[in-house]
Amino acid sequence: MTSAADSRPGRPRRPSRPAWPRSVVRRLPGSLPFAAAARGAVALALPLLVGLATGWVVLSAIAAIGALWGVSQDGSDPYRVRVRRLGWTGVSSALGLLAGEVALRTGQTAAVAGCLVTAALVAGCVGLRGRIASVSGMHLLLGVTIGSGIPVPGPWWQPPLALLAGVALVLVLSAAPWLWRRYHVERAAVLAVYRSAGEALTAAGTGAAEEARLRMTLALNHAHEVMAPHLAPRGRRQRDETGDLVQAFHYAVRLGEAVTAVVWEGRALPPSLTGVPRHLAGRLLPDHLAASEERAAPPAPVTGSPGRRALAELVTAVDGEPDGTDLELRLPAHDGPGRAARVRYALLLAGCVLAAHVLAEVLHRPRGYWLPMTVAFVYKPDFGPLFPRALHRCVGTIVGVAAIGAVSAAATGTYAVVGVVAVFGALMAIGVRHHYALATLGLTAVVFVLLDLLGDHRPLYGTRVVDTALASALVLVAHFAVWPDSAAHRAEAQTEAAVAAARRYRDAAPEAGPVQRQSLRRTAYHQLAEARRTVAHARREPSRRGRPLPDWESAITAAEQLCDQVTGSVVAGTANPAS
């Protein structure tokens, strides 16, 4: 599929494969998440302080493990998403810990191995069905790994409850701001669309226009994702609270269409038009502009190109009476891997966990939990490229072991150890949002302290580095020997789906009404962004020698150009563009 040639004067020529710098790919700002770091420090230090005060050191350490896993899933999503993900994390990890503990108390090695394999099969079967299912499956397996590897004295029901309490602590800390800034995340996401639209209008007619338009599209995709529950029919019950926010999002969607048309025209705009997004945000979200921003004055009546007229019409609409239009935009359905892929992943994960358990029994019996635990963390192809994930796991473990070894020599007091856990917990919370190796560094250091509190006082710094390398190598060898083309297949399927969505938009847009047209457009750009992500993941995996990956980027770029051209043509009221 190729886009029509653009011979309009003054329009910058588009490259066949535009560069996608990190500023375009990233959705979240690069500033450090200080609030998340503070939550990580408090969530890990508080259980230990309670344990020291009450004498329940073992249970407090298990609660801190739950808090550690909760911190690893504490994101910047809307609060209802955080609650659902952390809730499933706590329930699945507590059930896994209970199952592993029961298997360990039987005293039978076969029972432990069977419990691990069963948990791995379950985790693999649900692991590719979406983010929350994947997180639940992983923590079920992690719970079984810890429960079957670390003997805990006392009643059988205490450790699962302690673990659940640790996750619940993170959930409370993460969701508490809901009480006084209920829809802060959604408002910030919608406002980001207006800001990025202003940047795209400012860059119109320059070489940076396409990159700015891509940033706006990603911001609109992110806003659509966080606003999706409020756009569904069930979300209408809360329209008295979110009505203004929903209206601002609908205007953001229409603004995205107008900005795309302007960027496609390829001409610079006067300041009166580049300030349109700021003016709209000031009218629709007046209490949520940044302190440094001032509401822009309404632009003067504009004549000229269709894109400019569309911007002026938006201002006229928002300054008048609300039109009451409810687009009811829906995100495209999640088409995950098929049954064959899920079965293959489940079998591979179970095989790797069993091999890691056998290897641990030979090398470390008892307490050989590190090898299967590392397999559970590393073998997550739905979380990103597998090879870099394994590499970052090894690097983070090496640095984390070195860091905790150096700090432990200096931190001699009990409360000093709690301070160390708080520092590395904050570091892990930052790494969760920025880099997997940094998250692994913090997790490794905290786990060493917690395992020491649970009675494992062995000096295993070098051993744990070797175990991590062995588990990572085991996963990589098994995966690339049995399923080497999984990432390429996902990239190919997603690219085909994105190109098909772009063609549906092209074919239906000229005759469609505003609601259907915007739905088609949103679906196309969502699919294209997902295709970019899966292709980038496939490029980072090792490929077979002599079998280079196809040039998917060119097809995605052509589809993006087609969508831009269709949008420009629809705004201008012209005929259906050729493909």
Side-chain angles (χ1 to χ4, degrees), residues 8-34:
R8 281 166 289 189
R11 177 169 179 79
R13 188 175 182 82
R14 300 189 182 196
S16 61
R17 184 186 295 182
W20 272 60
R22 291 184 179 180
S23 61
V24 175
V25 177
R26 283 182 182 171
R27 292 181 177 179
L28 301 177
S31 58
L32 292 178
F34 292 109

Side-chain angles (χ1 to χ4, degrees), residues 302-328:
V302 176
T303 59
S305 70
R308 297 186 183 200
R309 289 196 301 271
L311 287 174
E313 289 170 3
L314 271 179
V315 175
T316 303
V318 78
D319 285 339
E321 291 295 326
D323 56 12
T325 301
D326 190 352
L327 296 181
E328 295 188 10

Side-chain angles (χ1 to χ4, degrees), residues 114-142:
C115 188
L116 281 169
V117 170
T118 301
L121 288 172
V122 173
C125 288
V126 304
L128 302 181
R129 291 180 176 270
R131 177 75 180 186
I132 292 180
S134 179
V135 166
S136 302
M138 180 179 72
H139 284 90
L140 175 73
L141 179 55
L142 288 174

Side-chain angles (χ1 to χ4, degrees), residues 16-365:
S16 61
R17 184 186 295 182
W20 272 60
R22 291 184 179 180
S23 61
V24 175
V25 177
R26 283 182 182 171
R27 292 181 177 179
L28 301 177
S31 58
L32 292 178
F34 292 109
R39 290 197 298 268
V42 172
L44 287 169
L46 188 58
L48 298 182
L49 291 175
V50 171
L52 292 174
T54 60
W56 297 345
V57 177
V58 172
L59 289 179
S60 71
I62 294 177
I65 291 177
L68 183 71
W69 291 346
V71 169
S72 71
Q73 299 303 321
D74 179 24
S76 55
D77 318 88
Y79 296 114
R80 67 175 67 194
V81 178
R82 299 186 205 180
V83 170
R84 194 161 66 246
R85 185 173 60 245
L86 287 170
W88 279 108
T89 297
V91 171
S92 59
S93 58
L95 290 176
L97 182 66
L98 177 60
E101 186 184 10
V102 170
L104 181 63
R105 294 191 180 202
T106 64
Q108 300 295 322
T109 303
V112 172
C115 188
L116 281 169
V117 170
T118 301
L121 288 172
V122 173
C125 288
V126 304
L128 302 181
R129 291 180 176 270
R131 177 75 180 186
I132 292 180
S134 179
V135 166
S136 302
M138 180 179 72
H139 284 90
L140 175 73
L141 179 55
L142 288 174
V144 170
T145 302
I146 296 298
S148 63
I150 302 177
V152 179
W156 59 269
W157 50 269
Q158 286 185 346
L161 287 181
L163 190 77
L164 188 60
V167 180
L169 174 61
V170 178
L171 190 154
V172 170
L173 293 174
S174 181
W178 178 85
L179 297 173
W180 63 87
R181 53 176 194 177
R182 185 164 299 184
Y183 302 110
H184 168 75
V185 175
E186 291 91 337
R187 292 182 186 277
V190 173
L191 184 56
V193 178
Y194 287 95
R195 287 173 173 159
S196 59
E199 295 172 359
L201 291 178
T202 302
T206 70
E210 178 64 11
E211 179 183 322
R213 202 277 302 160
L214 290 171
R215 285 199 299 269
M216 181 198 68
T217 299
L218 290 181
L220 193 50
N221 286 347
H222 179 59
H224 195 178
E225 289 172 359
V226 300
M227 286 294 297
H230 307 290
L231 303 174
R234 289 183 300 175
R236 292 178 179 177
R237 302 172 186 172
Q238 301 173 332
R239 288 296 167 85
D240 55 338
E241 299 181 33
T242 62
D244 292 342
L245 185 57
V246 169
Q247 184 186 20
F249 172 75
H250 287 329
Y251 274 107
V253 173
R254 294 167 61 181
L255 176 64
E257 184 177 62
V259 170
T260 301
V262 168
V263 171
W264 180 258
E265 290 166 1
R267 297 180 179 88
L269 298 179
S272 62
L273 283 182
T274 58
V276 165
R278 206 149 48 96
H279 171 74
L280 295 178
R283 291 281 285 113
L284 297 165
L285 299 169
D287 299 329
H288 303 280
L289 290 175
S292 61
E293 294 186 78
E294 298 178 359
R295 184 186 300 180
V302 176
T303 59
S305 70
R308 297 186 183 200
R309 289 196 301 271
L311 287 174
E313 289 170 3
L314 271 179
V315 175
T316 303
V318 78
D319 285 339
E321 291 295 326
D323 56 12
T325 301
D326 190 352
L327 296 181
E328 295 188 10
L329 298 178
R330 295 185 180 182
L331 290 170
H334 175 72
D335 294 327
R339 179 180 299 179
R342 293 197 298 270
V343 170
R344 182 181 296 190
Y345 171 59
L347 293 176
L348 279 172
L349 179 61
C352 289
V353 167
L354 179 59
H357 173 68
V358 172
L359 190 59
E361 287 289 308
V362 173
L363 296 177
H364 304 306
R365 193 177 192 274

Side-chain angles (χ1 to χ4, degrees), residues 509-528:
E511 304 298 330
V515 175
Q516 185 184 7
R517 186 180 72 243
Q518 294 291 4
S519 296
L520 290 167
R521 182 174 177 273
R522 291 277 72 244
T523 297
Y525 279 115
H526 267 288
Q527 297 279 34
L528 288 166

